[in-house]
Amino acid sequence: MAGTPQYIRNLNENLIMDALITQGSMSRADISRQTGLSKPTVSSAVEHLIERNLVKETGRADNAQGRKATLIQFNETAYYVCGIDIGATRIRIALSDLNGQIIAYDTYPPIDPDQHVQFNSAIVQSSGKVEGGYETSVVSEVPVLRLLHSYVDQLLQKNRLQWSDLRCIGFGIPGVVLPVSGKISRIVDPLAGMEQDFSRDALARAFPCDIMLDNDVNLAALGEYRKGAAMNSPLFIFFSIGAGTGAGIMVQGHLLHGLGGLTGEVAEMRMQDGRRLEDVLSADGLISLAKRHYLKGLLSSDMQPEDIFAATRSGEVWAISMMKEYSQMIASALRQISTLLAPELIVLGGGIGGNGDVLLPLLRKAVAEQFPVQPQLICSDLGERAVVTGAVQVALQHTLMKLKQGTTEE
């Protein structure tokens, strides 16, 4: 309750933690000057934070005269968070400390729909079982969640961490997440039918830590805002083109979710000829365009979008011509979005959108000639790590908030 000694102590400790996170190591006297708190208040709060393992003493300051002051530092290794990107082509998992520094990253094959029925984990079988000196946790009955659990377990063990060190996991899902309930209203192939399995409640039952869940493109936008191409941009759009299409919209550092979490679901936009945007711009749409217009059925059946971009870079006439048409369709979608939102910046990402050397010159020309609002257009800095970076960030925000509230078990 506001005004109570506990409330005031939390406020003081939060001021000190924020100062240390922002400024780095400081002496108690420096903390007092930075926060405006009295020296006795700082000393008391620092001692309590040391007891909570949230700050630590790191040595002596290099002051010129008098007794060397002891330096205080935020303890970024007190706990850890995790980000998981359940992508259409790869699963990506990252571990991070409390400063947002990724300390481990690994990739795994995509979810095989058959695993939903066939996977049988032999790695962990019981609650609290010790494997090689490391405590594991209760395992979900859902096969794909057991698989994800085993991946995280392996990554923890490789870094000599235990589940008790992990405070939160952020998940990026290629689907529409209902913000309040954490249920999934729709999800892309090949995960169709697994909406209930990847709901926030199901994930919370499968993992022994806090769970954050959001659409993957939203998290990619957050990743670019925090660590990538859109750092501190007041209004920008992350436009992802790959196996599907989607947009993450950030205003003043906040993701927009909208009614039913549907903000940014540009897949349902319609082109001038009535076709769905995703059917036209996705990887399948790009390949269909190549087959339909330029190679008259002679295109290799196993050709992928990267082959088409390679042909464009090598100067093949059919590929250059097709890419101009394809870029005009992207530009048409971006023009509609830009006219409505007037963003300062659009960041392209995804397996297709990341080919900036081919796409950006064509799109920038279209922006200059056709757009009533002309945002800056760039490509993702984070590439395939955009979603997992955003997943780490949302897990980190949640964990720091709970630490400041004193509600995380320590």
Side-chain angles (χ1 to χ4, degrees):
M1 182 179 294
T4 66
Q6 177 64 46
Y7 177 79
I8 293 172
R9 186 175 74 176
N10 281 349
L11 283 180
N12 293 338
E13 291 180 4
N14 292 344
L15 280 173
I16 292 170
M17 283 178 57
D18 287 340
L20 291 172
I21 291 171
T22 302
Q23 302 294 330
S25 299
M26 290 191 290
S27 68
R28 287 170 172 81
D30 290 334
I31 293 172
S32 178
R33 285 189 289 269
Q34 178 75 21
T35 62
L37 299 173
S38 69
K39 291 181 180 179
T41 297
V42 168
S43 293
S44 175
V46 165
E47 292 308 311
H48 189 244
L49 287 169
I50 290 174
E51 290 176 9
R52 296 174 64 196
N53 198 34
L54 296 180
V55 305
K56 58 186 178 181
E57 295 181 337
T58 61
R60 300 288 183 177
D62 190 23
N63 45 302
Q65 296 180 344
R67 182 179 178 182
K68 304 295 184 182
T70 301
L71 293 176
I72 308 299
Q73 179 181 308
F74 176 63
N75 186 8
E76 71 277 5
T77 60
Y79 304 108
Y80 295 84
V81 298
C82 179
I84 300 180
D85 169 17
I86 303 177
T89 59
R90 301 291 288 174
I91 295 171
R92 301 172 180 89
I93 302 179
L95 283 175
S96 166
D97 64 23
L98 293 182
N99 273 338
Q101 181 68 38
I102 292 178
I103 63 166
Y105 172 82
D106 214 339
T107 62
Y108 306 87
I111 296 293
D112 183 343
D114 293 337
Q115 289 174 333
H116 185 54
V117 177
Q118 297 174 358
F119 179 74
N120 182 21
S121 172
I123 297 176
V124 185
Q125 294 295 333
S126 63
S127 174
K129 183 176 180 181
V130 176
E131 301 265 350
Y134 292 86
E135 293 183 2
T136 60
S137 60
V138 177
V139 196
S140 172
E141 296 179 357
V142 179
V144 293
L145 297 188
R146 292 207 304 270
L147 181 64
L148 292 176
H149 186 287
S150 73
Y151 289 159
V152 177
D153 197 53
Q154 293 166 24
L155 205 56
L156 288 172
Q157 292 193 34
K158 286 180 183 177
N159 290 275
R160 305 188 66 80
L161 297 174
Q162 301 194 30
W163 282 98
S164 58
D165 297 312
L166 191 63
R167 309 318 280 175
C168 185
I169 301 177
F171 284 86
I173 302 287
V176 177
V177 180
L178 300 176
V180 176
S181 68
K183 295 180 179 179
I184 299 173
S185 64
R186 66 181 76 167
I187 199 167
V188 302
D189 289 333
L191 303 180
M194 300 186 191
E195 291 87 346
Q196 185 174 347
D197 298 331
F198 287 113
S199 70
R200 188 165 59 220
D201 285 348
L203 293 169
R205 290 191 297 269
F207 293 88
C209 57
D210 290 346
I211 296 297
M212 301 297 290
L213 174 67
D214 207 337
N215 169 264
D216 55 353
V217 181
N218 283 345
L219 293 182
L222 179 61
E224 293 292 342
Y225 178 79
R226 294 285 182 178
K227 297 286 186 177
M231 287 185 66
N232 301 319
S233 176
L235 173 56
F236 86 97
I237 297 168
F238 182 88
F239 192 80
S240 178
I241 314 173
T245 57
I249 302 168
M250 291 201 71
V251 180
Q252 300 297 335
H254 297 282
L255 281 167
L256 299 186
H257 289 91
L259 180 64
L262 288 168
T263 296
E265 288 299 309
V266 295
E268 298 302 325
M269 289 174 59
R270 298 285 170 170
M271 304 298 290
Q272 290 182 342
D273 59 7
R275 290 181 295 168
R276 292 174 67 249
L277 182 70
E278 185 163 277
D279 295 338
V280 173
L281 296 186
S282 67
D284 288 343
L286 177 61
I287 293 171
S288 294
L289 181 66
K291 289 180 177 178
R292 187 169 64 251
H293 291 291
Y294 298 99
L295 293 188
K296 304 184 186 303
L298 299 179
L299 190 65
S300 170
S301 60
D302 61 352
M303 179 171 274
Q304 299 298 312
E306 50 265 32
D307 300 317
I308 299 172
F309 281 99
T312 306
R313 293 184 181 100
S314 65
E316 296 189 35
V317 174
W318 70 268
I320 294 172
S321 178
M322 189 215 68
M323 197 57 65
K324 289 180 179 178
E325 181 178 344
Y326 181 71
S327 296
Q328 281 299 317
M329 293 189 290
I330 297 175
S332 177
L334 295 181
R335 186 182 189 279
Q336 295 179 57
I337 297 171
S338 297
T339 301
L340 178 64
L341 294 176
E344 297 185 357
L345 175 68
I346 296 176
V347 179
L348 290 182
I352 292 175
N355 291 277
D357 60 319
V358 174
L359 293 174
L360 286 180
L362 297 170
L363 292 174
R364 286 171 176 160
K365 185 173 185 293
V367 168
E369 295 175 352
Q370 304 170 20
F371 284 37
V373 175
Q374 299 187 354
Q376 181 185 5
L377 195 62
I378 60 177
C379 272
S380 163
D381 274 355
L382 299 176
E384 67 174 21
R385 294 195 181 196
V387 176
V388 78
T389 300
V392 162
Q393 288 297 311
V394 78
L396 181 61
Q397 290 173 9
H398 173 81
T399 298
L400 290 176
M401 179 189 70
K402 292 195 71 176
L403 288 172
K404 290 178 179 181
Q405 292 173 344
T407 54
T408 298
E409 294 182 5
E410 301 166 28

